[in-house]
Amino acid sequence: MNVLVLTQFYPPESCAASSRTQAVTKALVDAGHQVHVITAHPSFPAGTFPQGCRPWRFAAEVRDGVNILRVPTYASPRLRGRDRLFNWASVSLGATISALAVRRRIDCVYVTCPPVTLALPALAVAKARRCPLFVDVRDSYPDVAVKMGAWREDSLLTRTVARVVRRLYGAADAVACVTQTVANEVRDRGADPAKILIAPNGFDAVEPSTRAPFSRDGDDFVVAFAGNIGVATGVDVIIDAAQRVSDLKHVRFVLAGGGSAFEEIRLRRDRYGLENTSLLGPLDRPVALAVLRDADLCVVPLKRGIHDSLPTKIFDSLYVGCPVLVSGDGEAGDFASRSGGGWSVAAEDPDALAQAIRKAAADREACRRAGATGRDYVRANWSRSRGVSAIVERIATIRN
């Protein structure tokens, strides 16, 4: 089959969406399919392009057997809301032009969401080529934005996105969802229940770097975060908790990642005068995994109201044997407990988070046991290949 993949994020960008899509394209190639990716020039999370990149041009390359076309892309390091919107819109426009101009046969269109802006080229190409449409949903919009309080339920934006996704899900021949809760929301937004499959996230067997980019004294207790530092990730609760445990001189915080809220987090740290907190910026995946491997505890923050999210940073942390402390409600906290790999506190509660960190720092043996238990559980049950295999099998048999 010739599979056309439309995605906002793709390597070398390092984020959960990029990793999931790359795992799918690799599995498709390994299964003997021809894969053609249309995506942006890499700019996430800093809003800047690599040296030598010409983002205003179309650029073709072949990587690991995947044909990749990067379309003209707008990005800005200011990382304002409108900058992200222009970024998504530029990629959607370029993807529409490129996909409709493809001369080869297309047997299936595979599109990842969010952002929902790629729904437009996906619908256009699937209709023009009369080929099946496969939608991979990581977060169900507009539901997740309303739950976080970022969008009003009755706003024009929410209503517009709701109409777009209803049309997208209604036209889809298959929809993959990362959790059952997301599947329920997608069903309520117009997807045929018979066409929905659960394809959960999981760990990728990536070898961590030999050395982490931070040093530690023998008595240090290192609390880590590794992931996108955006407005929706709630990393500010970690800074607030760090301020509350600053009297514990052996407790250190190491945050790896970049994003739209990075500067705000840096200013918050400096305003508190936190000498116990280091911001490492964006890191390649092997280096970020080394940060988690060498830490004593990983904090996974979620915004209040998010109950259906299972962030890949949970799997990454447990994969390398680092226990997790979820600052959030719902499935993520339940998973930490069920796996034996960690604990949870209420979302956006820095006092509860600080208290849990104090308790963990006072019982390192409990942390080591949780890390080992969680590692064994995740490696035995939560390889990303499980969800990816379900996607590839459905694509191979999908029919209009």
Side-chain angles (χ1 to χ4, degrees):
M1 295 178 65
N2 285 308
V3 182
L4 178 64
V5 175
L6 303 177
T7 179
Q8 181 79 26
F9 307 102
Y10 201 74
E13 290 177 315
S14 181
C15 61
S18 174
S19 298
R20 181 175 172 93
T21 306
Q22 183 186 37
V24 171
T25 59
K26 181 181 184 303
L28 286 168
V29 170
D30 290 344
H33 302 296
Q34 295 292 317
V35 181
H36 308 272
V37 171
I38 296 179
T39 189
H41 287 278
S43 65
F44 183 86
T48 57
F49 299 103
Q51 187 174 7
C53 175
R54 297 180 177 181
W56 61 92
R57 294 187 176 184
F58 290 92
E61 61 179 295
V62 179
R63 178 182 297 188
D64 300 325
V66 177
N67 301 290
I68 303 168
L69 179 65
R70 300 190 184 273
V71 302
T73 305
Y74 169 88
S76 170
R78 290 171 294 186
L79 299 174
R80 299 168 300 183
R82 60 183 169 184
D83 292 315
R84 292 194 297 275
L85 180 60
F86 290 154
N87 174 248
W88 298 339
S90 67
V91 176
S92 178
L93 176 61
T96 302
I97 295 170
S98 303
L100 291 175
V102 170
R103 296 183 179 181
R104 70 182 71 87
R105 186 183 77 254
I106 300 175
D107 298 306
C108 179
V109 176
Y110 171 94
V111 62
T112 71
C113 294
V116 296
T117 42
L118 287 176
L120 303 179
L123 287 165
V125 175
K127 182 177 181 179
R129 295 303 185 92
R130 298 181 180 179
C131 63
L133 173 61
F134 190 109
V135 182
D136 191 359
V137 182
R138 301 182 309 278
D139 292 306
S140 177
Y141 273 78
D143 303 86
V144 68
V146 172
K147 289 176 185 177
M148 289 189 301
W151 298 357
R152 297 193 318 274
E153 189 169 6
D154 61 346
S155 70
L156 176 62
L157 177 60
T158 298
R159 297 198 305 271
T160 300
V161 171
R163 286 195 292 269
V164 171
V165 298
R166 179 170 289 277
R167 183 174 178 185
L168 178 68
Y169 300 155
D173 297 275
V175 183
C177 303
V178 292
T179 67
Q180 184 60 55
T181 304
V182 171
N184 294 341
E185 293 169 347
V186 166
R187 178 202 61 206
D188 293 343
R189 294 287 180 185
D192 182 346
K195 296 179 180 179
I196 296 174
L197 68 149
I198 306 298
N201 282 321
F203 73 87
D204 292 311
V206 176
E207 188 67 25
S209 297
T210 55
R211 295 185 61 184
F214 67 89
S215 59
R216 60 186 297 167
D217 295 330
D219 190 45
D220 282 348
F221 183 88
V222 177
V223 181
F225 168 87
N228 177 41
I229 301 179
V231 294
T233 50
V235 178
D236 52 325
V237 74
I238 301 178
I239 301 298
D240 292 344
Q243 190 270 335
R244 286 161 169 78
V245 300
S246 58
D247 57 300
L248 299 179
K249 301 305 180 184
H250 65 291
V251 176
R252 291 184 53 203
F253 292 79
V254 177
L255 280 62
S260 58
F262 180 86
E263 186 62 17
E264 177 186 334
I265 292 299
R266 186 188 67 80
L267 291 173
R268 197 183 195 98
R269 180 202 62 178
D270 293 348
R271 187 164 60 248
Y272 285 145
L274 295 179
E275 298 181 358
N276 64 347
T277 303
S278 301
L279 302 178
L280 304 181
L283 301 175
D284 291 338
R285 193 113 189 272
V287 183
L289 285 174
V291 170
L292 296 175
R293 180 200 60 206
D294 291 357
D296 298 287
L297 184 69
C298 171
V299 174
V300 179
L302 293 170
K303 300 291 282 186
R304 186 180 296 115
I306 301 300
H307 300 279
D308 59 349
S309 178
L310 265 180
T312 54
K313 56 180 69 73
I314 291 180
F315 302 109
D316 288 343
S317 184
L318 294 180
Y319 168 66
V320 296
C322 181
V324 295
L325 175 55
V326 175
S327 173
D329 310 308
E331 294 193 34
D334 292 343
F335 185 88
S337 176
R338 185 170 69 251
S339 68
W343 310 270
S344 66
V345 297
E348 299 186 60
D349 187 338
D351 290 323
L353 181 59
Q355 184 177 359
I357 290 170
R358 287 179 181 275
K359 183 177 179 180
D363 195 347
R364 299 185 188 220
E365 183 56 35
C367 287
R368 283 190 284 268
R369 287 197 305 269
T373 301
R375 179 190 60 218
D376 293 343
Y377 176 80
V378 162
R379 291 194 178 195
N381 299 287
W382 287 89
S383 171
R384 189 192 294 276
S385 61
R386 183 178 67 165
V388 168
S389 294
I391 291 174
V392 172
E393 289 172 9
R394 181 64 67 89
I395 289 175
T397 58
I398 197 169
R399 295 291 184 271
N400 272 332

